[in-house]
Amino acid sequence: MRPAGLPSADELDRALRNAAPAEVVAAALKAVGRERLALVSSFGTESAALLKVMADVDPAIPVIFLDTGWLFEETLAYRDTLIATLGLRDVRSIKPLEETLTREDPERELWFSDPDACCRIRKVEPLARALAPFSAWINGRKRFQGGLRADIPVVEDDGIRLKFNPFANVSREDIEAIYALAKLPPHPLAASGFLSVGCMPCTSRTSAGEDARAGRWRGRTKTECGIHTIKTS
Protein backbone atom coordinates (compact mmCIF):
# COMPACT_ATOMS: atom_id res chain seq x y z
CA MET A 1 0.00 0.00 0.00
CA ARG A 2 1.04 3.60 -0.52
CA PRO A 3 2.67 5.30 2.50
CA ALA A 4 1.35 8.61 3.80
CA GLY A 5 3.03 11.74 2.47
CA LEU A 6 3.87 10.26 -0.92
CA PRO A 7 3.54 12.76 -3.79
CA SER A 8 0.53 12.26 -6.01
CA ALA A 9 0.83 10.63 -9.41
CA ASP A 10 -0.14 13.92 -11.08
CA GLU A 11 2.60 15.81 -9.22
CA LEU A 12 5.22 13.25 -10.14
CA ASP A 13 4.02 13.07 -13.74
CA ARG A 14 4.34 16.84 -14.13
CA ALA A 15 7.85 16.76 -12.66
CA LEU A 16 8.99 13.82 -14.79
CA ARG A 17 7.09 14.45 -18.00
CA ASN A 18 10.27 15.07 -20.01
CA ALA A 19 12.70 13.10 -17.86
CA ALA A 20 15.03 10.45 -19.21
CA PRO A 21 14.15 6.84 -18.31
CA ALA A 22 16.98 6.58 -15.77
CA GLU A 23 15.74 9.75 -14.07
CA VAL A 24 12.25 8.26 -13.80
CA VAL A 25 13.59 5.06 -12.23
CA ALA A 26 15.73 7.09 -9.81
CA ALA A 27 12.72 9.25 -8.90
CA ALA A 28 10.62 6.15 -8.20
CA LEU A 29 13.39 4.77 -6.01
CA LYS A 30 13.66 8.04 -4.11
CA ALA A 31 9.89 8.31 -3.67
CA VAL A 32 9.29 4.95 -2.01
CA GLY A 33 12.65 3.24 -1.42
CA ARG A 34 13.96 -0.05 -2.76
CA GLU A 35 11.93 -2.21 -0.38
CA ARG A 36 8.66 -0.70 -1.63
CA LEU A 37 9.44 -0.55 -5.36
CA ALA A 38 9.24 -3.33 -7.94
CA LEU A 39 9.83 -3.54 -11.68
CA VAL A 40 7.53 -5.89 -13.59
CA SER A 41 9.14 -7.44 -16.66
CA SER A 42 8.03 -10.04 -19.21
CA PHE A 43 11.66 -10.58 -20.33
CA GLY A 44 10.27 -10.08 -23.82
CA THR A 45 11.76 -8.71 -27.02
CA GLU A 46 12.29 -5.16 -25.69
CA SER A 47 12.64 -5.89 -21.98
CA ALA A 48 16.43 -5.81 -21.78
CA ALA A 49 16.48 -2.05 -22.44
CA LEU A 50 14.43 -1.15 -19.35
CA LEU A 51 16.20 -3.75 -17.23
CA LYS A 52 19.55 -2.25 -18.29
CA VAL A 53 18.36 1.25 -17.32
CA MET A 54 17.15 -0.06 -13.96
CA ALA A 55 20.34 -2.02 -13.31
CA ASP A 56 22.41 1.10 -13.91
CA VAL A 57 20.37 2.89 -11.23
CA ASP A 58 20.15 -0.01 -8.76
CA PRO A 59 20.44 -3.69 -9.79
CA ALA A 60 18.89 -4.77 -6.49
CA ILE A 61 15.45 -3.30 -7.22
CA PRO A 62 13.09 -6.31 -7.09
CA VAL A 63 12.00 -7.57 -10.52
CA ILE A 64 8.73 -9.50 -10.83
CA PHE A 65 8.49 -12.03 -13.66
CA LEU A 66 5.16 -13.77 -14.28
CA ASP A 67 5.86 -17.38 -15.19
CA THR A 68 2.42 -18.28 -16.52
CA GLY A 69 3.09 -21.92 -17.35
CA TRP A 70 2.58 -21.13 -21.03
CA LEU A 71 5.82 -19.26 -21.76
CA PHE A 72 8.26 -20.17 -24.51
CA GLU A 73 11.34 -22.02 -23.28
CA GLU A 74 13.32 -19.31 -25.06
CA THR A 75 11.80 -16.68 -22.77
CA LEU A 76 12.76 -18.60 -19.64
CA ALA A 77 16.29 -18.99 -20.96
CA TYR A 78 16.41 -15.29 -21.85
CA ARG A 79 15.39 -14.39 -18.30
CA ASP A 80 18.37 -16.32 -16.97
CA THR A 81 20.69 -14.77 -19.57
CA LEU A 82 19.66 -11.22 -18.66
CA ILE A 83 19.94 -11.89 -14.92
CA ALA A 84 23.56 -12.89 -15.48
CA THR A 85 24.35 -10.23 -18.10
CA LEU A 86 22.94 -7.30 -16.12
CA GLY A 87 23.76 -8.53 -12.61
CA LEU A 88 20.14 -8.41 -11.47
CA ARG A 89 20.05 -9.31 -7.79
CA ASP A 90 16.39 -9.90 -6.98
CA VAL A 91 14.31 -11.46 -9.78
CA ARG A 92 11.18 -13.13 -8.46
CA SER A 93 9.48 -15.64 -10.78
CA ILE A 94 5.82 -15.76 -9.80
CA LYS A 95 3.54 -18.61 -10.85
CA PRO A 96 -0.25 -19.06 -10.78
CA LEU A 97 -1.71 -20.94 -7.83
CA GLU A 98 -1.96 -24.66 -8.59
CA GLU A 99 -5.38 -24.90 -6.97
CA THR A 100 -6.65 -22.12 -9.21
CA LEU A 101 -5.34 -23.82 -12.34
CA THR A 102 -6.84 -27.15 -11.27
CA ARG A 103 -10.21 -25.55 -10.59
CA GLU A 104 -10.49 -23.16 -13.53
CA ASP A 105 -8.28 -24.61 -16.27
CA PRO A 106 -7.95 -28.37 -15.69
CA GLU A 107 -7.67 -29.16 -19.41
CA ARG A 108 -5.34 -26.24 -20.19
CA GLU A 109 -7.76 -25.00 -22.87
CA LEU A 110 -8.84 -21.74 -21.23
CA TRP A 111 -6.48 -19.72 -23.45
CA PHE A 112 -8.69 -20.73 -26.40
CA SER A 113 -12.19 -20.62 -24.90
CA ASP A 114 -11.76 -17.54 -22.70
CA PRO A 115 -8.38 -15.81 -23.06
CA ASP A 116 -9.37 -13.02 -20.66
CA ALA A 117 -10.04 -15.58 -17.93
CA CYS A 118 -6.77 -17.33 -18.76
CA CYS A 119 -4.85 -14.07 -18.39
CA ARG A 120 -6.68 -13.34 -15.13
CA ILE A 121 -5.64 -16.57 -13.41
CA ARG A 122 -2.16 -16.75 -14.92
CA LYS A 123 -1.10 -13.09 -14.88
CA VAL A 124 -3.47 -10.64 -13.20
CA GLU A 125 -4.04 -12.56 -9.97
CA PRO A 126 -0.39 -13.64 -9.56
CA LEU A 127 0.76 -10.05 -10.13
CA ALA A 128 -1.67 -8.76 -7.51
CA ARG A 129 -0.16 -11.20 -5.01
CA ALA A 130 3.38 -10.28 -6.00
CA LEU A 131 2.79 -6.52 -5.77
CA ALA A 132 1.06 -6.66 -2.38
CA PRO A 133 4.16 -5.55 -0.40
CA PHE A 134 4.99 -2.67 -2.74
CA SER A 135 3.93 0.99 -2.90
CA ALA A 136 4.98 1.57 -6.52
CA TRP A 137 5.89 -0.38 -9.61
CA ILE A 138 7.75 0.19 -12.85
CA ASN A 139 6.78 -1.25 -16.23
CA GLY A 140 7.98 -1.00 -19.81
CA ARG A 141 4.97 0.23 -21.78
CA LYS A 142 5.60 2.76 -24.56
CA ARG A 143 3.28 5.15 -26.32
CA PHE A 144 4.54 4.06 -29.72
CA GLN A 145 3.00 0.63 -29.10
CA GLY A 146 -0.36 2.25 -29.78
CA GLY A 147 -3.81 1.08 -28.72
CA LEU A 148 -4.51 1.67 -25.05
CA ARG A 149 -0.85 2.65 -24.61
CA ALA A 150 -0.85 5.65 -26.97
CA ASP A 151 -1.58 8.21 -24.25
CA ILE A 152 0.00 6.75 -21.12
CA PRO A 153 1.58 9.27 -18.71
CA VAL A 154 5.04 8.87 -17.23
CA VAL A 155 3.50 8.38 -13.77
CA GLU A 156 -0.03 7.24 -13.01
CA ASP A 157 -2.09 5.89 -10.13
CA ASP A 158 -3.35 2.36 -10.74
CA GLY A 159 -5.91 2.71 -7.98
CA ILE A 160 -3.72 1.07 -5.36
CA ARG A 161 -0.16 2.26 -5.88
CA LEU A 162 1.99 4.51 -8.05
CA LYS A 163 2.86 3.18 -11.48
CA PHE A 164 5.94 4.49 -13.29
CA ASN A 165 6.28 4.26 -17.07
CA PRO A 166 9.92 5.31 -17.71
CA PHE A 167 9.71 4.41 -21.41
CA ALA A 168 6.44 6.23 -22.12
CA ASN A 169 8.25 8.80 -24.27
CA VAL A 170 10.91 6.64 -25.90
CA SER A 171 10.95 5.66 -29.56
CA ARG A 172 11.78 2.30 -31.08
CA GLU A 173 15.06 3.87 -32.21
CA ASP A 174 15.85 4.85 -28.62
CA ILE A 175 15.41 1.25 -27.53
CA GLU A 176 17.56 -0.04 -30.37
CA ALA A 177 20.24 2.45 -29.33
CA ILE A 178 20.21 1.15 -25.74
CA TYR A 179 20.62 -2.42 -27.03
CA ALA A 180 23.46 -1.41 -29.34
CA LEU A 181 25.35 0.74 -26.84
CA ALA A 182 25.18 -1.86 -24.07
CA LYS A 183 25.59 -4.80 -26.48
CA LEU A 184 22.48 -6.40 -25.00
CA PRO A 185 21.57 -9.88 -26.24
CA PRO A 186 18.32 -10.04 -28.23
CA HIS A 187 15.42 -12.29 -27.29
CA PRO A 188 16.08 -15.65 -29.00
CA LEU A 189 12.76 -15.48 -30.88
CA ALA A 190 13.25 -11.96 -32.29
CA ALA A 191 15.18 -13.21 -35.32
CA SER A 192 12.30 -15.55 -36.17
CA GLY A 193 9.80 -12.72 -36.61
CA PHE A 194 8.38 -12.51 -33.10
CA LEU A 195 8.35 -8.78 -32.38
CA SER A 196 6.31 -9.11 -29.18
CA VAL A 197 6.44 -12.32 -27.15
CA GLY A 198 3.91 -13.42 -24.57
CA CYS A 199 2.42 -16.84 -23.84
CA MET A 200 3.01 -19.51 -26.45
CA PRO A 201 -0.61 -20.23 -27.52
CA CYS A 202 -1.48 -16.56 -27.96
CA THR A 203 1.70 -15.32 -29.68
CA SER A 204 2.44 -15.46 -33.40
CA ARG A 205 4.97 -13.98 -35.79
CA THR A 206 4.37 -10.56 -37.31
CA SER A 207 4.70 -9.71 -40.98
CA ALA A 208 6.50 -6.74 -42.49
CA GLY A 209 4.50 -3.55 -41.94
CA GLU A 210 2.42 -4.95 -39.09
CA ASP A 211 2.28 -3.37 -35.66
CA ALA A 212 4.76 -4.96 -33.24
CA ARG A 213 1.93 -6.30 -31.09
CA ALA A 214 -0.13 -7.63 -34.02
CA GLY A 215 1.03 -11.12 -33.15
CA ARG A 216 -0.56 -11.04 -29.72
CA TRP A 217 -4.03 -12.65 -29.53
CA ARG A 218 -4.20 -12.59 -33.31
CA GLY A 219 -7.74 -12.69 -34.69
CA ARG A 220 -9.28 -11.41 -31.46
CA THR A 221 -10.25 -7.94 -30.28
CA LYS A 222 -8.12 -8.49 -27.18
CA THR A 223 -4.98 -6.32 -27.07
CA GLU A 224 -3.99 -6.40 -23.37
CA CYS A 225 -3.57 -9.22 -20.87
CA GLY A 226 -5.24 -7.19 -18.14
CA ILE A 227 -2.38 -6.32 -15.81
CA HIS A 228 -2.43 -2.75 -17.13
CA THR A 229 -6.21 -2.38 -17.30
CA ILE A 230 -7.31 -3.89 -13.97
CA LYS A 231 -6.49 -2.62 -10.48
CA THR A 232 -3.64 -4.61 -8.96
CA SER A 233 -5.28 -4.91 -5.52
Side-chain angles (χ1 to χ4, degrees):
M1 297 297 291
R2 292 176 56 179
L6 197 62
S8 72
D10 287 343
E11 291 172 326
L12 287 166
D13 184 57
R14 284 194 296 271
L16 297 170
R17 192 162 294 171
N18 298 308
E23 294 172 324
V24 177
V25 173
L29 190 61
K30 181 179 178 181
V32 299
R34 184 200 294 158
E35 301 304 314
R36 305 290 284 175
L37 176 67
L39 185 148
V40 176
S41 178
S42 66
F43 285 80
T45 52
E46 295 173 343
S47 297
L50 178 57
L51 290 167
K52 167 62 176 171
V53 170
M54 183 212 79
D56 286 347
V57 175
D58 185 348
I61 292 173
V63 176
I64 294 172
F65 170 70
L66 299 174
D67 185 351
T68 65
W70 271 124
L71 297 180
F72 290 90
E73 288 297 326
E74 289 89 345
T75 296
L76 299 176
Y78 192 49
R79 170 199 58 191
D80 298 341
T81 295
L82 290 183
I83 289 172
T85 300
L86 299 175
L88 305 178
R89 298 179 192 167
D90 188 3
V91 175
R92 307 176 187 187
S93 292
I94 308 299
K95 296 185 177 183
L97 296 174
E98 282 299 328
E99 54 265 37
T100 302
L101 296 179
T102 300
R103 182 180 65 251
E104 300 194 34
D105 192 15
E107 305 299 325
R108 287 173 62 87
E109 295 177 347
L110 197 58
W111 66 268
F112 180 75
S113 61
D114 191 343
D116 286 334
C118 189
C119 286
R120 174 178 54 77
I121 66 173
R122 293 177 181 276
K123 297 185 79 170
V124 177
E125 291 176 359
L127 180 62
R129 282 189 284 111
L131 283 178
F134 298 102
S135 301
W137 59 300
I138 298 167
N139 74 98
R141 291 176 304 159
K142 306 101 181 160
R143 291 177 187 148
F144 73 71
Q145 291 172 320
L148 297 176
R149 306 182 177 201
D151 298 314
I152 57 171
V154 174
V155 186
E156 57 191 315
D157 191 319
D158 73 359
I160 302 297
R161 52 186 64 80
L162 289 172
K163 184 175 180 179
F164 290 83
N165 308 312
F167 276 17
N169 293 320
V170 304
S171 66
R172 194 178 303 283
E173 291 72 25
D174 293 331
I175 292 173
E176 291 172 354
I178 293 172
Y179 269 79
L181 187 63
K183 296 182 172 58
L184 297 174
H187 191 290
L189 292 174
S192 301
F194 291 90
L195 299 186
S196 179
V197 176
C199 289
M200 195 164 32
C202 298
T203 300
S204 60
R205 291 176 174 83
T206 51
S207 302
E210 281 192 312
D211 181 85
R213 287 177 63 83
R216 304 289 291 276
W217 304 286
R218 187 178 292 280
R220 300 180 184 267
T221 58
K222 181 177 175 65
T223 60
E224 294 282 348
C225 66
I227 66 173
H228 295 297
T229 55
I230 298 172
K231 290 182 179 181
T232 54
S233 60

